[in-house]
Amino acid sequence: MLSEIFKTEERIRILRHISLRQSATVGTVALATGVSKGLVSGYLNMLAREGLLRPENRAFHRDDTPLWPAIKRLLNLDLLKDTIVLPEWARGVGIYGSWAGGTNTTESDLDLWVLVDTASSDTEIRAAELEQTLAMHTRCEVNTLILTPDRVRHLREHDRPFYTALTTGHVTMEGVDFATA
């Protein structure tokens, strides 16, 4: 099944579009992705046969099976792999939140973390530039959490719920993983 789902670039564009919405019609998907209605229709029907979509009243509705977060996570990582690169001023960079977990929607922001030895105003300026680049590529708001070893320690000791969510729900894209640094 997976080899068929990801078989072509057109299928990936359709999948990326539908994965961010609860439902869509063949026409809206075709218009948004630049793929012919015939190809969109055939592919959405295939996803319905695989149990990922449910056709109803000329629309296809996404069923929330355990596969969707995994598919969305893979699509997210594929979209970000060439854009999130380790800046020379950082030790590690990654994502957390809905994009890392595959639960993002069209309204979701991208939560980025950057591990540095020490934070400064220069670090904040560089992080803002990185945010802008990612926002243009992803077409969503990007929020950066600048982490230092001291900040990670502080979170672990004083904000255990956030620290636990951050450490269990993050993906290191490049460099050092803050959770093991």
Side-chain angles (χ1 to χ4, degrees):
M1 169 179 87
L2 288 179
S3 61
E4 286 301 311
I5 289 176
F6 297 106
K7 192 172 189 173
T8 66
E9 188 61 39
E10 291 83 6
R11 287 183 177 190
I12 292 171
R13 282 200 318 264
I14 296 166
L15 190 61
R16 190 179 308 284
H17 181 81
I18 197 75
S19 74
L20 296 172
R21 291 156 180 81
Q22 282 303 118
S23 65
T25 64
V26 169
T28 58
V29 175
L31 186 63
T33 61
V35 177
S36 73
K37 285 184 178 182
L39 186 57
V40 169
S41 177
Y43 184 61
L44 294 181
N45 278 299
M46 183 191 83
L47 293 176
R49 284 191 302 276
E50 295 296 337
L52 294 169
L53 297 177
R54 181 177 27 86
E56 182 181 305
N57 299 332
R58 305 186 120 221
F60 287 84
H61 302 271
R62 187 167 45 84
D63 284 336
D64 287 324
T65 71
L67 281 176
W68 274 114
I71 290 169
K72 286 171 66 171
R73 189 173 189 210
L74 183 60
L75 291 169
N76 292 343
L77 294 175
D78 181 60
L79 179 67
L80 297 172
K81 73 180 178 349
D82 296 326
T83 308
I84 297 181
V85 295
L86 182 63
E88 75 281 349
W89 47 270
R91 294 181 53 210
V93 63
I95 59 173
Y96 66 101
S98 62
W99 276 69
T103 58
N104 54 304
T105 67
T106 55
E107 289 81 36
S108 297
D109 61 348
L110 172 59
D111 296 311
L112 181 75
W113 61 264
V114 179
L115 178 64
V116 296
D117 289 323
T118 57
S120 67
S121 57
D122 186 52
T123 306
E124 291 181 19
I125 291 169
R126 290 176 170 192
E129 291 168 349
L130 182 59
E131 282 180 2
Q132 187 176 27
T133 300
L134 284 169
M136 288 183 347
H137 184 71
T138 60
R139 297 186 189 109
C140 74
E141 182 180 338
V142 178
N143 296 302
T144 303
L145 175 63
I146 298 173
L147 296 172
T148 63
D150 287 341
R151 177 109 193 256
V152 172
R153 210 172 4 269
H154 178 60
L155 289 171
R156 184 175 52 244
E157 294 169 3
H158 299 287
D159 194 350
R160 196 60 149 170
F162 179 72
Y163 175 80
T164 301
L166 183 63
T167 56
T168 59
H170 77 281
V171 175
T172 301
M173 299 298 291
E174 281 198 24
V176 176
D177 183 340
F178 73 86
T180 59

